[in-house]
Amino acid sequence: MKKILLCLLVLFLSSVWAFGEEKSPGTKEVILERAEKITYDSKNEAFNASGNVVVIQGENRIECGELSFSLRENRGSFRGGVRVTRGKTEIRALTMEGDFDRELYTFQGDVELRKERESEGEASVILWKAETLSYNGKNEEAWSEGGVEITWKEVLLRADRAHYFPRDEAEGEEERVVLEGNVVITEKEREIQVAQAVYFLDTETLEASGITRARFVIREKE
């Protein structure tokens, strides 16, 4: 009986909180799809939810243990095994803060971003690990400070700071990762240590400065 009442309450509140574009082009929506417990503050236009929470907001499908969401500010705090999926991008972390008007999201604690990438019919996965990560949902930029490790194909990129820029054909900008501070690039048995670098994904080329050390292993031809 409790589960039935909870489902009815979630459906009711979802209809209250879901402001569809067909009603008003200027409104946005957030849909609480699932939760074991919810509280709603009508005066302050805010709600809390906990227990296997699933929220849909724009392109984001968010799963977490608990959340606090301000409808007035369109901002939310998410805790407890956060998992966000957006198209071919998935981000996991312990916590997330989201400004859904600006589409800026901050992840903290064991952050892992997985992005499926396809170029010239070849599929690959970018795996980004860090303690903190900021993500711009409008243009898919991502950046981290305090140590980051990025794996793609046979390349391992490590640095104090990293900033991913997607391709922007209108501006003539290539898809790339900008690395700064104690940069180490490893590919197969080749390793380069530099102060800063830019790695271009389409051409798989590197531009670096402040060379500390470079080691290239050349295999003999059979």
Side-chain angles (χ1 to χ4, degrees), residues 60 62 64 66-70 73-80 82 84 91 93-109 111 132-137 143:
N60 304 291
I62 306 168
C64 62
E66 57 181 324
L67 70 85
S68 302
F69 201 99
S70 169
E73 298 180 358
N74 202 16
R75 298 175 65 99
S77 297
F78 306 80
R79 302 169 295 279
V82 179
V84 181
I91 306 174
L94 297 181
T95 66
M96 181 187 98
E97 297 287 329
D99 182 334
F100 293 92
D101 281 337
R102 299 168 63 199
E103 291 195 47
L104 294 176
Y105 314 103
T106 302
F107 299 86
Q108 292 188 327
V111 183
T132 64
L133 178 128
S134 299
Y135 185 87
N136 187 327
W143 58 97

Side-chain angles (χ1 to χ4, degrees), residues 51-192:
N52 299 313
V53 179
V54 176
V55 173
I56 307 298
Q57 213 288 349
E59 296 183 33
N60 304 291
R61 185 179 192 274
I62 306 168
E63 301 171 59
C64 62
E66 57 181 324
L67 70 85
S68 302
F69 201 99
S70 169
L71 297 168
R72 185 178 296 167
E73 298 180 358
N74 202 16
R75 298 175 65 99
S77 297
F78 306 80
R79 302 169 295 279
V82 179
R83 177 174 179 259
V84 181
T85 52
R86 296 170 52 92
K88 294 184 179 181
T89 299
E90 177 187 276
I91 306 174
R92 294 175 181 265
L94 297 181
T95 66
M96 181 187 98
E97 297 287 329
D99 182 334
F100 293 92
D101 281 337
R102 299 168 63 199
E103 291 195 47
L104 294 176
Y105 314 103
T106 302
F107 299 86
Q108 292 188 327
D110 299 329
V111 183
E112 187 173 291
L113 180 150
R114 296 177 62 90
K115 177 181 174 63
E116 291 185 24
R117 184 179 184 276
E118 188 169 338
S119 179
E120 298 179 353
E122 180 185 4
S124 59
V125 175
I126 299 172
L127 178 59
W128 180 308
K129 294 182 178 181
E131 278 304 304
T132 64
L133 178 128
S134 299
Y135 185 87
N136 187 327
K138 292 182 179 179
N139 58 14
E140 295 190 323
E141 282 185 31
W143 58 97
S144 288
E145 294 188 3
V148 59
E149 181 178 293
I150 303 171
T151 305
W152 179 63
K153 293 185 177 180
E154 296 182 284
V155 179
L156 173 61
L157 308 172
R158 288 175 291 174
D160 293 337
R161 298 174 296 281
H163 197 142
Y164 167 80
F165 295 90
R167 185 189 301 107
D168 188 336
E169 295 181 359
E171 296 294 329
E173 299 287 348
E174 298 181 61
E175 184 181 16
R176 64 202 185 279
V177 180
V178 177
L179 306 155
E180 295 180 316
N182 298 310
V183 180
V184 180
I185 301 101
T186 305
E187 183 182 9
K188 299 177 182 177
E189 296 178 88
R190 299 157 189 171
E191 183 176 280
I192 304 174

Side-chain angles (χ1 to χ4, degrees), residues 29-47:
E29 65 178 14
V30 53
I31 300 176
L32 178 61
E33 203 171 71
R34 187 181 69 203
E36 293 177 4
K37 182 180 179 180
I38 53 177
T39 59
Y40 176 56
D41 182 344
S42 179
K43 181 180 179 180
N44 294 307
E45 299 181 41
F47 71 93

